[in-house]
Amino acid sequence: YTILSKVHSDRNVYPSAGVLFVHVLEREYFKGEFPPYPKPGEISNDPITFNTNLMGYPDRPGWLRYIQRTPYSDGVLYGSPTVENVGKPTIIEITAYNRRTFETARHNLIINIMSAEVDFPLPYQAEFFIRNMNVEEMLASEVLGDFLGAVKNVWQPERLNAINITSALDRGGRVPLPINDMKEGVYVMVGADVPFSSCLREVENPQNQLRCSQEMEPVITCDKKFRTQFHIDWCKISLVDNTKQVSTFQEVVRGEGILPDGGEYKPPSDTLKSRDYYSDFLITLAVPSAIALVLFLILAYIMCCRREGVEKRNMQTPDIQLVHHSAIQKSTKELRDMSKNREIAWPLSTLPVFHPVTGEIVPPLHTDSYDNTSMPLMQTQQ
């Protein structure tokens, strides 16, 4: 990996296409750009963050990622260049921010992507998922070297390179809970020039596939060579053999489902005739409006002009029925008038003891000489 050696100057790096590229942005080299203001005898440890973008654009290229956990840790640019970018210099603007003094320092990183070596192609690629590592821990040269050494001991290739490293969060993984120092996990893809070893092929066994489907740990003989430092999820390992290139070209056999050739497309002429929309207007608006108006007039005639009235109803009603109806109304009115004139007091048991607003004790409405023995307290009493 390349370490930034000078600030405020252009730095040229020459990664190869298809090989992992790592560039570390060390805070120590940017501290000299910011004036320190510590007390005598103290060491300045200002929080510094970095912003990286492609020159003239707000973000980085698609193959380049950046990570910095805290303002007190170094930033890392990493990714795997593609073949399409070979020969095109990529200028990355690196801006350092001092979070204490709000000062900035800028540096340009020129990435010159070289073509991959033809003499040693890497057709066999394996991707491992390591559960006990974060991406910045795996990007460290010592940790990555230990992992490649373990893979080389199991695979026994003549040439082995790290192709790409991806965080599990970029693959749709969840942020782990802060319990027991849990890690987010990282995917590491490596390539070699020899076929896969028998140990790596053990994942494809039906027994191990069944155990993976039941969310059980498969039995891998070479797992002990990784277990001391790396916890690999063998159910998520991916083996790709690029030597077996399957041709995607298929000859088209015309038959059912294939449309016949209609020749060249002929666009319509520019001289189109004008269309009269008056008839469409009559059909869509005038006709429904006329029908609605007729229905409204019919309903208005029925509701307003066909009312019978009280006089016509009385004329059609027999006299004896009108006499009975009048007698019933007169009797009902007399009973209501008699009920209004009743002056019988309510029993004391039904009156409130306290005033509902002030809470004071309410004196009884009846005098002590009032005789209420003849009034029943309940309807069932005789």
Side-chain angles (χ1 to χ4, degrees):
Y1 61 94
T2 306
I3 297 179
L4 189 64
S5 59
K6 292 183 180 181
V7 295
H8 249 25
S9 61
D10 294 344
R11 174 74 177 181
N12 286 272
V13 292
Y14 300 90
S16 299
V19 181
L20 180 65
F21 165 72
V22 181
H23 186 86
V24 181
L25 306 178
E26 295 190 354
R27 297 171 62 253
E28 294 294 333
Y29 291 99
F30 284 90
K31 286 183 179 180
E33 295 293 322
F34 307 118
Y37 300 102
K39 296 180 180 180
E42 294 183 358
I43 301 176
S44 175
N45 188 21
D46 297 340
I48 299 176
T49 58
F50 301 95
N51 182 31
T52 59
N53 64 281
L54 183 64
M55 178 175 289
Y57 296 90
D59 204 355
R60 298 173 300 275
W63 61 270
L64 189 62
R65 294 187 178 93
Y66 169 74
I67 186 172
Q68 184 185 15
R69 289 291 179 178
T70 64
Y72 298 95
S73 60
D74 297 334
V76 182
L77 285 169
Y78 67 99
S80 180
T82 58
V83 182
E84 290 78 8
N85 297 324
V86 173
K88 301 177 182 179
T90 303
I91 302 177
I92 303 297
E93 294 180 344
I94 302 172
T95 306
Y97 296 90
N98 190 324
R99 294 302 177 182
R100 181 178 62 87
T101 62
F102 301 100
E103 295 180 337
T104 61
R106 179 161 294 179
H107 169 79
N108 291 335
L109 178 67
I110 303 176
I111 303 177
N112 302 282
I113 302 175
M114 309 297 292
S115 60
E117 299 181 5
V118 183
D119 298 336
F120 298 96
L122 303 177
Y124 304 95
Q125 300 176 2
E127 187 177 50
F128 300 85
F129 177 66
I130 305 175
R131 293 178 293 185
N132 64 330
M133 286 287 176
N134 290 334
V135 61
E136 71 275 6
E137 298 175 349
M138 198 67 197
L139 289 173
S141 59
E142 297 83 3
V143 179
L144 184 59
D146 294 342
F147 177 76
L148 293 179
V151 175
K152 190 173 184 179
N153 189 17
V154 172
W155 202 337
Q156 297 296 330
E158 297 181 1
R159 181 179 174 84
L160 181 69
N161 282 340
I163 298 178
N164 198 5
I165 292 180
T166 308
S167 173
L169 301 181
D170 298 333
R171 298 285 188 89
R174 296 183 178 182
V175 178
L177 296 175
I179 301 176
N180 298 329
D181 195 19
M182 296 181 64
K183 306 294 184 179
E184 62 190 26
V186 61
Y187 289 89
V188 181
M189 178 177 289
V190 298
D193 55 348
V194 296
F196 304 108
S197 61
S198 58
C199 173
L200 299 179
R201 289 291 186 181
E202 292 178 359
V203 183
E204 301 176 351
N205 293 340
Q207 296 81 4
N208 289 330
Q209 292 294 327
L210 178 61
R211 295 178 65 90
C212 289
S213 62
Q214 297 175 354
E215 297 183 356
M216 300 176 60
E217 191 73 20
V219 179
I220 307 297
T221 57
C222 58
D223 181 57
K224 59 182 179 181
K225 297 183 179 180
F226 297 91
R227 184 65 62 176
T228 57
Q229 189 176 359
F230 307 100
H231 294 172
I232 298 178
D233 190 347
W234 293 99
C235 292
K236 294 184 179 180
I237 189 174
S238 176
L239 305 178
V240 179
D241 187 359
N242 293 327
T243 58
K244 300 178 181 179
Q245 297 181 357
V246 179
S247 177
T248 58
F249 173 77
Q250 296 181 358
E251 184 180 358
V252 178
V253 180
R254 296 189 178 275
E256 295 182 357
I258 304 298
L259 296 177
D261 188 7
E264 298 181 358
Y265 173 70
K266 296 181 180 180
S269 176
D270 296 336
T271 59
L272 297 178
K273 297 181 180 180
S274 61
R275 182 177 177 182
D276 187 10
Y277 292 96
Y278 182 74
S279 59
D280 297 339
F281 169 76
L282 294 178
I283 295 174
T284 56
L285 294 179
V287 174
S289 301
I291 295 175
L293 181 60
V294 172
L295 295 178
F296 175 76
L297 294 177
I298 295 174
L299 182 62
Y301 173 75
I302 295 174
M303 299 295 293
C304 300
C305 301
R306 300 289 296 176
R307 298 181 62 183
E308 295 180 354
V310 179
E311 297 180 357
K312 186 175 182 179
R313 184 197 62 184
N314 294 338
M315 292 175 61
Q316 296 179 355
T317 305
D319 294 338
I320 187 63
Q321 188 176 354
L322 292 175
V323 171
H324 290 171
H325 180 70
S326 178
I328 292 173
Q329 286 186 339
K330 184 176 180 180
S331 301
T332 304
K333 185 176 182 302
E334 291 179 355
L335 290 175
R336 289 179 178 176
D337 293 340
M338 292 173 62
S339 64
K340 292 179 181 179
N341 297 328
R342 288 185 301 177
E343 296 180 357
I344 301 176
W346 292 92
L348 292 178
S349 61
T350 62
L351 297 177
V353 181
F354 298 96
H355 194 275
V357 178
T358 61
E360 299 178 356
I361 299 177
V362 179
L365 299 179
H366 308 317
T367 59
D368 297 338
S369 62
Y370 178 78
D371 186 12
N372 56 2
T373 57
S374 62
M375 180 183 298
L377 297 180
M378 299 180 63
Q379 297 294 334
T380 57
Q381 295 180 356
Q382 299 296 332

